[in-house]
Amino acid sequence: MKIRKAVFPVAGLGTRVLPATKAMPKEMLTIVDKPLIQYVVDEAREAGIEHFVFVTGRNKGVIEDHFDRMFELDATLEARGKKAEQDILARDQPDAGAMSFTRQQAPLGLGHAVWCARDVVGDEPFAVLLPDELVLNTPGCLAQMIEAAAKLPDKSNLIAVQEVPADQTHQYGICGIGKRLAQRGVFEVASMVEKPPKGTAPSNLSITGRYILQPEIFRILQTQERGAGGEIQLTDAMIGLSKSQTFYGVEFEGERHDCGSKAGFLRANIAYGMARADLRDGLREEMRKYLEQ
Ligand code: G1P
C-alpha cells in the first residue's frame, strides 16, 4: 500500500487561541522559528509523501504564500550573501506542482473538510494530518504509521493513538482495543466514538491527528450525516467504514503536543526549543530564572 498524498485540514477558526488567530491562521502560529504547518508538512515529507493537499478557507491565503517562493526576499538574501537563510527557505518548500489547495466553504466539521479533498485525492489511500498536533520524535508519527501499514493487508486503515488521562477522554475521539498484533504497538480497533460523555469511554486511548485512510471513506462522508457537536465527524465516517474494512490503532513513539490550546502551545515551544542544540542552554538558563520566582 503506497501512500502518496496527504491531506491537511487547515480551515479551522482557531477559537481556542484567540486573539492570536483573529487575523492570522492558527496553522501559522510559530513553534520556535517555524509555523505549525511547516512541521506537519516536514513530517509528511519525511514519511515519503509526494503530494500535499491543503483544505483551506477564508483568511488562510498566507499558508499558500508560505509555501511559495518570495522573489524579493530571495534576491535580497542573495545580494547580502545570506546563504544559510536561503538554504532554509529552499529546504522548507515542497517541489513545484506537489501542492494543491482546495477550500472548505463552511465550518461543517473535520469529516467535511476531508471530503472537500476527494477529487484531489482520487481513488487511492491517503494520509490525514491535523496541524494542531505535533509529535516530537524521529522518525515522525506518520513515518511510523507508514512502516506499520507496510506489514498490514491492503485496504487497511490506520489511526495513531495515545493514552490520555481518564478525565480528558471526552475531548477526543476514543477507540476500543481489539486483538493485538505481533507488530509492537499495533492492534485491531474494536470500536470508535467521538467525544464520549465522561465515564463512558471504551478506553483511554485517544485518536490523535494522524490517519491513513482508504478512499472508500469519501463515499461515507458523502452522506454528510451530522454527529457530535452538530458537525460532520471523520470519526463517524470511520465507524461506518469499519463495518467493511479493518482499522488498526498504532501506539506511536513520541511526545504529542496539542498546539491548538494555549497551554499546549507554550509547552510545545519549550519542548521544541529544548530539542534544539543551538537554543537549549540559553533557554534552560532563562527558564531557571522564572521557576525560581
Ligand atoms: C479531532 C477529531 C478527534 C481527535 C482530535 C485530535 O477533534 O475529531 O477524534 O481525537 O481531532 O486532536 P477536534 O480537535 O477537531 O475537536
Side-chain angles (χ1 to χ4, degrees), residues 53-157:
V53 184
F54 299 86
V55 182
T56 74
R58 279 182 295 284
N59 299 327
K60 300 279 183 168
V62 68
I63 296 176
E64 222 162 313
D65 291 341
H66 175 75
F67 290 107
D68 201 357
R69 272 191 73 182
M70 294 287 164
F71 286 101
E72 300 85 342
L73 184 58
D74 278 348
T76 308
L77 293 175
E78 177 77 37
R80 294 185 184 164
K82 293 199 176 279
K83 180 85 176 70
E85 286 78 2
Q86 277 184 300
D87 288 348
I88 289 172
L89 296 186
R91 175 199 69 193
D92 287 352
Q93 211 189 307
D95 291 340
M99 291 174 285
S100 297
F101 296 84
T102 185
R103 283 212 178 201
Q104 184 187 25
Q105 291 136 324
L108 297 177
L110 177 60
H112 180 259
V114 170
W115 180 74
C116 290
R118 66 199 179 281
D119 282 347
V120 190
V121 170
D123 190 25
E124 58 181 282
F126 63 103
V128 176
L129 295 96
L130 308 188
D132 278 5
E133 291 208 25
L134 296 188
V135 177
L136 185 52
N137 198 66
T138 311
C141 183
L142 188 64
Q144 295 176 49
M145 293 173 78
I146 287 183
E147 195 192 327
K151 296 178 191 137
L152 294 170
D154 280 354
K155 293 288 173 197
S156 296
N157 297 268

Side-chain angles (χ1 to χ4, degrees), residues 44-282:
R45 274 209 290 194
E46 179 219 12
I49 295 297
E50 295 164 9
H51 196 98
F52 307 84
V53 184
F54 299 86
V55 182
T56 74
R58 279 182 295 284
N59 299 327
K60 300 279 183 168
V62 68
I63 296 176
E64 222 162 313
D65 291 341
H66 175 75
F67 290 107
D68 201 357
R69 272 191 73 182
M70 294 287 164
F71 286 101
E72 300 85 342
L73 184 58
D74 278 348
T76 308
L77 293 175
E78 177 77 37
R80 294 185 184 164
K82 293 199 176 279
K83 180 85 176 70
E85 286 78 2
Q86 277 184 300
D87 288 348
I88 289 172
L89 296 186
R91 175 199 69 193
D92 287 352
Q93 211 189 307
D95 291 340
M99 291 174 285
S100 297
F101 296 84
T102 185
R103 283 212 178 201
Q104 184 187 25
Q105 291 136 324
L108 297 177
L110 177 60
H112 180 259
V114 170
W115 180 74
C116 290
R118 66 199 179 281
D119 282 347
V120 190
V121 170
D123 190 25
E124 58 181 282
F126 63 103
V128 176
L129 295 96
L130 308 188
D132 278 5
E133 291 208 25
L134 296 188
V135 177
L136 185 52
N137 198 66
T138 311
C141 183
L142 188 64
Q144 295 176 49
M145 293 173 78
I146 287 183
E147 195 192 327
K151 296 178 191 137
L152 294 170
D154 280 354
K155 293 288 173 197
S156 296
N157 297 268
L158 291 85
I159 51 176
V161 299
Q162 198 164 63
E163 276 191 17
V164 292
D167 63 356
Q168 287 176 22
T169 49
H170 65 285
Q171 296 170 13
Y172 296 98
I174 302 290
C175 69
I177 308 167
K179 196 177 85 187
R180 285 205 170 266
L181 273 63
Q183 278 196 62
R184 207 167 130 244
V186 183
F187 60 88
E188 283 181 15
V189 171
S191 61
M192 290 178 270
V193 53
E194 182 66 18
K195 304 199 173 80
K198 282 185 184 173
T200 67
S203 78
N204 59 351
L205 277 186
S206 78
I207 301 173
T208 69
R210 304 289 183 273
Y211 310 76
I212 292 176
L213 298 170
Q214 298 298 325
E216 288 77 17
I217 195 84
F218 292 126
R219 279 194 228 137
I220 298 171
L221 287 168
Q222 183 92 26
T223 60
Q224 314 261 315
E225 266 173 49
R226 309 294 173 116
E231 295 186 347
I232 300 167
Q233 296 287 355
L234 183 59
T235 306
D236 293 342
M238 295 195 302
I239 294 167
L241 187 57
S242 70
K243 298 194 170 83
S244 54
Q245 295 182 358
T246 309
F247 276 74
Y248 296 92
V250 180
E251 290 175 283
F252 57 92
E253 291 192 11
E255 207 184 0
R256 165 199 196 182
H257 296 278
D258 179 5
C259 303
S261 76
K262 287 176 191 177
F265 173 71
L266 289 172
R267 191 176 74 123
N269 264 298
I270 295 169
Y272 279 77
M274 289 302 284
R276 284 267 296 260
D278 58 330
L279 299 172
R280 187 180 301 141
D281 293 343

